[in-house]
Structure formats: structure tokens, C-alpha cells
Amino acid sequence: MEKTDPKTVEQYFRELSGKVRKPLVISVGGAISLIVPGLLIRHTDDIDIVDEVPKEFRDQHALMDDLQKRYGLLLTHFHQHYLPSGWSTRLKYHDSYGDLKVYFVDPIDVLLSKLTSIRTKDLDDLRVLVPQFDKATIVRRLKDSMQSALASDELRERANNNWYILFGEVQPQ
């Protein structure tokens, strides 16, 4: 598949903003928040918005279908409980498109959210991301903000397995 071009995402946001009638802020995570700033190069079908796709867009089915066909991108959502605690204080301002203001989830928060995943594409993303960040920073954020997520035996085991694959060592506690 062809990689998702950051310019295409920018065009998508500009076109989407034409349908915004009052100030609206969205927080974007997932692959798009890594692809646009150049931290990840791959294809994605989704623009993942934290918690929910705003009603202003959700109710415009024809618009959403048209944008998906033309840009190959679908507005989707994921729940913030998949993110490390304090994620909202670390949002990165991306840009404003008219009345639409876009923030990206901090890349280390995205990295840590993928650490508990069983999807191979998330592990592949981790393998690309980890070398771009200071390991001590990742460990500190892991210890400071992932304890509630890692309280689940299943998620802790996933994180431990992925950590071992990435670093060849036991995950710091």
C-alpha cells in the first residue's frame, strides 16, 4: 500500500474545516499523530480522534463518505483510557484550519499506548519509534503514567512482551 502523505492529511483537515461553523478542537492520536510530523512513514486509513468524532462531522454521513473515498482517510475514535495518565497536559498543538484547531497526542504517549497492543502493526511502529527517543524519557513516562494501565495482568503481560522484543530486557517496574 502507498504510504500516507502528510500533505494529504493537511489537505483533509483544510477541507474538513470548511464544514466547521463554530470553534472546534480535536485531539488526534494514533498513526496520523506520528506520520504528519515525520516520525513514522507508513499507510493508515484512520484519523484517530480521542474519545469521539465530533457530532458536527459524525452527522454528515455524505461528507464523511466523500472524504474517505477521496482521501482514503476515515475519522474514527479511540478511548482516552488507552493513553497514559496526564496525556492531555502533553498535547502538541499542530495547526488551526479556520475554526478547527488540531492537537496531536504526544508521541511518547502514543508509543506507550502501543506498548500494550497485540497488533503486529503496533509492534512494527514501536520498532521504528523507539530509536527516535531517549530511553530514559520513555522509562520515566512509563513509570509515571502507565501504572493504572499496567494494573491489568493481560495488559502488563503484553507490555512486558513488547518491551522485551524492543529492548531485550525486562520492562522496568
Side-chain angles (χ1 to χ4, degrees):
M1 271 191 204
E2 196 172 309
K3 69 179 178 87
T4 299
D5 188 335
K7 291 177 186 171
T8 299
V9 178
E10 297 292 343
Q11 293 166 347
Y12 182 100
F13 285 141
R14 285 194 290 269
E15 186 164 346
L16 186 64
S17 73
K19 305 305 178 186
V20 175
R21 301 292 175 239
K22 61 182 181 181
L24 180 63
V25 176
I26 58 173
S27 300
V28 176
I32 288 293
S33 68
L34 303 169
I35 290 170
V36 172
L39 297 170
L40 185 65
I41 298 171
R42 72 165 171 86
H43 175 78
T44 187
D45 297 319
D46 306 320
I47 297 176
D48 295 318
I49 298 176
V50 179
D51 285 337
E52 69 177 348
V53 175
K55 185 173 177 35
E56 292 85 345
F57 305 137
R58 214 175 41 236
D59 291 346
Q60 295 190 53
H61 303 288
L63 170 67
M64 294 294 97
D65 289 345
D66 179 56
L67 291 175
Q68 183 179 10
K69 285 176 191 159
R70 294 177 39 244
Y71 289 92
L73 294 167
L74 176 66
L75 280 185
T76 62
H77 74 281
F78 69 100
H79 297 287
Q80 65 177 282
H81 67 263
Y82 291 108
L83 293 169
S85 63
W87 67 273
S88 63
T89 64
R90 295 182 293 270
L91 285 170
K92 307 292 185 198
Y93 173 74
H94 172 62
D95 208 345
S96 291
Y97 306 86
D99 283 333
L100 178 64
K101 190 177 288 191
V102 177
Y103 287 85
F104 287 157
V105 173
D106 178 83
I108 294 177
D109 288 336
V110 176
L111 182 154
L112 290 173
S113 72
K114 289 176 175 282
L115 192 61
T116 59
S117 177
I118 59 172
R119 301 183 316 177
T120 56
K121 73 177 182 176
D122 288 331
L123 180 58
D124 292 342
D125 289 351
L126 287 168
R127 292 176 39 246
V128 170
L129 291 171
V130 162
Q132 298 182 63
F133 298 100
D134 175 59
K135 183 179 174 187
T137 303
I138 296 169
V139 169
R140 188 172 42 257
R141 182 89 50 92
L142 173 75
K143 289 180 176 181
D144 292 346
S145 65
M146 287 292 287
Q147 295 313 308
S148 62
L150 298 178
S152 156
D153 290 340
E154 181 181 355
L155 294 180
R156 186 173 52 255
E157 183 177 338
R158 289 181 196 169
N160 285 334
N161 290 339
N162 287 335
W163 190 273
Y164 178 73
I165 291 167
L166 294 166
F167 296 105
E169 63 188 34
V170 174
Q171 178 183 292
Q173 301 300 319

